[in-house]
Amino acid sequence: MIRMWVLLFIFFCHVFESSQTQAPAPLCRCQHQYSPVCGDDGKTYKSECKAKCAGVNIKCKNKCPCPDDGCNCPTKYRPVCCYNGKTYYNECKAKCAGVKIKCKSKCPCPDDGCHCPLIYHPVCGGDGNTYDNNCVAKCAGVQVKCKNKCPCEDVCSCSKELSPVCGVDGKTYDNKCIAKCNGVRFKCKRKCPCNVCACPPVFAPVCGDYGQTYDNACEAVCAGVTPKCKGKCPCSKCACEKTYRPVCGDDGKTYDNRCAAKCYGVDVKCNRKCPCKSCHCNKRYRPVCGRDGTTYSNRCNARCARVKVKCFGQCPCGGHGCRCPYWKRPVCGDDGKTYVNACFAKCKGKTAVRCKGKCPCFH
């Protein structure tokens, strides 16, 4: 009896010991997502989670074998930041690791706080890639080479003149042309570094003799540039008065006065700020000359343009006290020109009537 109890005790001790040593492995719960990785055991796993569950370290993020098994990359150091948050020695090393590149600089990427407009103005970066706009290139840490799609056309033929300028990138260029060809705006008209001037925070823009706009004359002089004209570049070739008599051009823009509109090669649509009010005038031709020196087809059209009538008939106005009726009875003067009627021929053209009707006369 005692022997039986001893055997039962030994049996239960053995069962308890085996239950402690052969505990079931913890269950691994992974998402059903197929993103293959290659483990250091040379096997392909469906995802990182599956590899970790198998207690295997990840060698690369794609199917086995890994690309870096036969990768011969250049030793040039051009760091890139990838979506895994790691910095790689160059683009080749990142591709060999099977990782997608986020930006061409060290991590973190500048675009982590970048909000660029959705405007398509393609630029070519110094890395030979085309970017949607200047902002996107800047966010990728790439310098713009030219403002169009890659490749850039080598249209730069700069002289060998030594007139050094300092670019905004902190580099010295032999002259302004070479800086421009490299897609760099110059900061000052001398070798780097530029002088630090204590200029007032006043915005009174001036255009320098190098065709660049400065916030005020002090900043232009500080950069070693002579102010060419007041206002933003380019300088206007016209010398207009600063009188503010707004006019609306036929391009839909408001100009300070008629002279300013003329300087931009724009015809004046009406003597007020844009938009012009739509007038409904008849098509009857009874010309009047406005005080602005323009001939209008009739008085209504002059009024619509907010121009006072100086005299009746086409510009220029004739002698003082000359008032002619609106009768449309064309005559041909001795000067070979057609006038609305005999009164206009005498008053404006100061010529005798050769025949009734439009020129030329047929006798």
Side-chain angles (χ1 to χ4, degrees):
M1 186 72 179
I2 296 170
R3 188 177 179 183
M4 186 179 70
W5 283 107
V6 170
L7 289 171
L8 283 172
F9 177 76
I10 294 169
F11 174 76
F12 281 115
C13 283
H14 179 71
V15 171
F16 177 77
E17 187 179 352
S18 63
S19 66
Q20 292 294 316
T21 55
Q22 296 178 1
L27 292 173
C28 246
R29 294 185 179 180
C30 297
Q31 292 182 353
H32 295 287
Q33 184 180 1
Y34 185 71
S35 181
V37 295
C38 181
D40 57 3
D41 58 353
K43 293 181 180 179
T44 301
Y45 294 88
K46 290 183 178 180
S47 66
E48 285 185 48
C49 178
K50 293 282 186 184
K52 286 178 182 178
C53 282
V56 178
N57 292 321
I58 296 166
K59 193 175 182 183
C60 64
K61 291 186 177 180
N62 49 26
K63 290 181 180 180
C64 296
C66 289
D68 63 347
D69 292 344
C71 249
N72 296 316
C73 291
T75 56
K76 203 165 189 178
Y77 182 66
R78 286 184 177 174
V80 293
C81 180
C82 295
Y83 279 95
N84 60 359
K86 292 181 181 179
T87 302
Y88 290 84
Y89 200 79
N90 54 40
E91 197 172 337
C92 175
K93 292 282 185 184
K95 284 181 179 177
C96 281
V99 187
K100 194 175 180 182
I101 296 168
K102 190 177 183 184
C103 66
K104 296 191 176 180
S105 63
K106 288 183 179 180
C107 294
C109 287
D111 64 347
D112 290 346
C114 264
H115 302 283
C116 293
L118 298 173
I119 301 171
Y120 187 69
H121 288 308
V123 295
C124 181
D127 58 354
N129 292 327
T130 302
Y131 296 87
D132 286 352
N133 54 53
N134 198 24
C135 175
V136 176
K138 191 177 179 182
C139 282
V142 178
Q143 191 176 0
V144 175
K145 192 176 181 182
C146 64
K147 292 184 177 180
N148 48 29
K149 291 181 179 180
C150 295
C152 292
E153 293 181 8
D154 191 13
V155 294
C156 279
S157 55
C158 296
S159 65
K160 294 181 180 179
E161 179 191 0
L162 187 64
S163 180
V165 294
C166 180
V168 292
D169 57 355
K171 294 180 182 178
T172 301
Y173 296 88
D174 287 347
N175 53 53
K176 179 196 169 187
C177 176
I178 294 172
K180 191 176 180 181
C181 281
N182 281 275
V184 180
R185 291 175 69 249
F186 75 92
K187 193 176 181 181
C188 63
K189 201 176 171 182
R190 59 173 65 89
K191 288 183 179 180
C192 297
C194 295
N195 293 340
V196 179
C197 294
C199 291
V202 179
F203 184 71
V206 293
C207 180
D209 57 357
Y210 265 36
Q212 193 161 294
T213 304
Y214 296 87
D215 287 349
N216 51 54
C218 174
E219 290 193 2
V221 173
C222 184
V225 176
T226 306
K228 194 176 180 181
C229 66
K230 290 181 179 179
K232 294 180 180 180
C233 297
C235 290
S236 173
K237 295 179 181 179
C238 295
C240 295
E241 294 180 3
K242 293 183 179 179
T243 310
Y244 186 68
R245 290 178 182 168
V247 294
C248 181
D250 57 3
D251 59 352
K253 294 180 181 178
T254 301
Y255 296 87
D256 288 350
N257 49 50
R258 279 185 167 269
C259 176
K262 191 176 180 181
C263 279
Y264 283 94
V266 177
D267 292 325
V268 175
K269 196 174 181 182
C270 64
N271 288 348
R272 60 164 67 92
K273 288 182 180 180
C274 295
C276 293
K277 292 181 180 178
S278 56
C279 281
H280 300 285
C281 297
N282 57 43
K283 296 181 181 179
R284 188 177 293 177
Y285 186 73
R286 290 180 177 176
V288 293
C289 181
R291 291 188 181 275
D292 57 355
T294 305
T295 302
Y296 295 90
S297 58
N298 53 48
R299 197 170 185 176
C300 174
N301 286 321
R303 193 182 293 116
C304 279
R306 297 184 71 182
V307 177
K308 289 184 179 180
V309 175
K310 190 176 182 181
C311 65
F312 299 112
Q314 294 179 352
C315 296
C317 292
H320 297 292
C322 196
R323 293 173 179 256
C324 294
Y326 283 122
W327 302 332
K328 192 174 181 181
R329 294 175 183 173
V331 294
C332 181
D334 284 336
D335 56 359
K337 293 180 181 178
T338 301
Y339 296 90
V340 178
N341 53 47
C343 176
F344 279 107
K346 186 179 179 182
C347 188
K348 183 183 174 184
K350 295 181 181 180
T351 182
V353 175
R354 181 180 290 179
C355 65
K356 291 181 179 180
K358 293 181 180 180
C359 295
C361 294
F362 298 98
H363 295 291

